[in-house]
């Protein structure tokens, strides 16, 4: 997020008598795991009393690791945070967490108090029906509780660290290999890669990128996801399955290299 135009627009709105309502920041975007400057965003928002929501759906799991906390500097000032343990943490679908600094803000708009829902325990317990739209809800927290009981926080942290180390190791191999490029920083466990052979650019490069990615996926050995970056296709290698170990990544890297080289040679 480029805060310069954001600040300018908010100032214009405030000057025109409109109240800026919220800024939604992302800690770890889906395509490239990019991090918005959350501390600066919170500072700007606070001048206008605007809500800051942080989408940490994928990267939120990294908050468990001391060495990754720097990526989330300022997140304690956000009004709300969402994070999906059903992604990297390893919980089953759908375990989406929502943190809110001041639940009263939810209760003030979501609370409902019909006569038939009143009980003698009102006021003594948290009525989650007052925090959101549905009255009835599944016991989703049980999934996270079960994961924590089965694996334990230390084992989960060790697994996340394993993935970070394996992604960094693969990133070094990609950087050193002729014809291969990392097209975005690797703050966590997702690599954005390109295979560029001589004379390939623009739409031809896009076709090559999509072709080798699809060829890798069609083997059934791995699943990579192509995505747009600055208007061009690249390939995302996301390391984060519970059973993925270094030999799996080594085998994937070999498969990527032979496939991309073969496809480049086969180009008409
Ligand atoms: C996966 C992801 C989402 C989607 O989350 P849902 O809870 O499935 O809606 C949103 N934002 C980011 C950054 C994601 O990685």
């Amino acid at each position: 997020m480029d805060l310069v135009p954001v600040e300018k627009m908010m100032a214009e709105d405030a000057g025109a008598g409109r109240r800026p309502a919220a800024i939604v920041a992302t800690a770890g975007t889906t395509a490239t795991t990019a991090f918005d400057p959350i501390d600066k965003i919170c500072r700007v928002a606070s001048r206008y009393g605007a809500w800051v929501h942080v989408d940490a759906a994928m990267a939120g799991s990294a908050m468990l690791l001391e060495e990754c906390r720097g990526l989330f500097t300022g997140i304690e000032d956000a009004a709300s945070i969402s994070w999906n343990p059903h992604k990297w943490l390893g919980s089953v679908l759908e375990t989406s967490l929502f943190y809110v600094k001041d639940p009263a803000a939810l209760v003030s708009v979501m609370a409902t108090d019909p006569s038939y829902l009143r009980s003698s325990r009102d006021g003594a317990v948290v009525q989650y029906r007052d925090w959101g739209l549905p009255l009835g809800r599944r016991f989703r927290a049980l999934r996270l509780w079960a994961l924590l009981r089965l694996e334990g926080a230390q084992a989960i942290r060790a697994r996340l660290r394993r993935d970070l180390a394996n992604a960094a190791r693969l990133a070094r191999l990609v950087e050193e290999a002729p014809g291969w490029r990392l097209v975005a920083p690797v703050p966590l466990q997702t690599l954005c890669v390109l295979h560029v052979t001589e004379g390939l650019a623009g739409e031809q490069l896009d076709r090559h990128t999509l072709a080798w990615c699809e060829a890798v996926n069609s083997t059934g050995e791995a699943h990579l996801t192509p995505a747009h970056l600055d208007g061009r296709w690249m390939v995302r290698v996301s390391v984060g399955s519970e059973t993925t170990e270094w030999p799996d990544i080594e085998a994937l890297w070999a498969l990527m290299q032979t496939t991309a080289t073969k496809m480049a040679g086969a180009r008409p």
Side-chain angles (χ1 to χ4, degrees):
M1 185 184 298
D2 183 355
L3 263 181
V4 175
V6 173
E7 274 200 87
K8 189 166 164 283
M9 287 186 284
M10 290 178 88
E12 278 169 15
D13 277 350
R18 293 184 291 261
R19 186 175 155 203
I23 302 180
V24 179
T26 309
T29 58
T30 312
T32 64
T33 331
F35 283 76
D36 284 332
I38 302 168
D39 51 345
K40 295 196 182 84
I41 289 169
C42 288
R43 240 174 282 142
V44 170
S46 71
R47 269 185 243 142
Y48 301 96
W51 187 279
V52 175
H53 174 71
V54 179
D55 174 357
M58 165 64 205
S61 298
M63 287 191 282
L64 269 69
L65 306 178
E66 204 64 49
E67 67 271 28
C68 293
R69 290 304 295 263
L71 293 167
F72 302 89
T73 300
I75 200 164
E76 60 279 4
D77 291 325
S80 59
I81 305 167
S82 56
W83 161 37
N84 290 347
H86 67 235
K87 292 181 171 176
W88 192 16
L89 205 72
S91 178
V92 290
L93 277 170
E94 30 148 30
T95 318
S96 299
L97 306 184
F98 180 66
Y99 295 78
V100 62
K101 209 180 193 72
D102 179 17
L106 301 182
V107 174
S108 69
V109 289
M110 308 282 194
T112 173
D113 188 31
S115 53
Y116 46 84
L117 286 180
R118 287 178 202 159
S119 81
S120 60
R121 308 298 298 149
D122 288 347
V125 294
V126 173
Q127 294 285 16
Y128 287 112
R129 68 156 199 254
D130 292 338
W131 290 35
L133 293 176
L135 294 183
R137 68 190 66 243
R138 291 171 173 224
F139 186 9
R140 295 184 177 91
L142 184 61
R143 299 163 186 175
L144 188 54
W145 180 86
L147 177 74
L148 289 168
R149 289 302 299 260
L150 283 168
E151 289 195 31
Q154 285 315 323
I156 292 171
R157 287 193 184 97
R159 180 159 51 73
L160 300 181
R161 289 192 169 110
R162 173 202 67 181
D163 293 343
L164 289 174
N166 285 342
R169 199 168 162 190
L170 177 60
R172 282 195 295 277
L173 294 181
V174 171
E175 272 179 323
E176 287 163 8
W180 288 88
R181 264 189 231 153
L182 284 177
V183 291
V186 186
L188 295 176
Q189 41 54 269
T190 297
L191 285 72
C192 299
V193 305
L194 264 187
H195 177 252
V196 186
T197 54
E198 216 172 325
L200 269 192
E203 281 177 19
Q204 273 193 322
L205 178 58
D206 275 351
R207 274 197 291 278
H208 174 59
T209 303
L210 292 173
W212 72 255
C213 182
E214 195 182 310
V216 165
N217 288 348
S218 70
T219 64
E221 296 293 319
H223 189 83
L224 309 180
T225 44
H228 270 157
L229 176 61
D230 296 330
R232 293 257 81 97
W233 286 100
M234 52 87 178
V235 175
R236 297 164 72 255
V237 183
S238 189
V239 180
S241 162
E242 283 160 284
T243 54
T244 299
E245 300 282 354
W246 177 249
D248 304 306
I249 297 166
E250 223 171 13
L252 164 67
W253 175 226
L255 178 64
M256 285 164 65
Q257 287 177 290
T258 51
T259 309
T261 308
K262 199 162 63 194
M263 309 287 305
R267 258 187 330 116

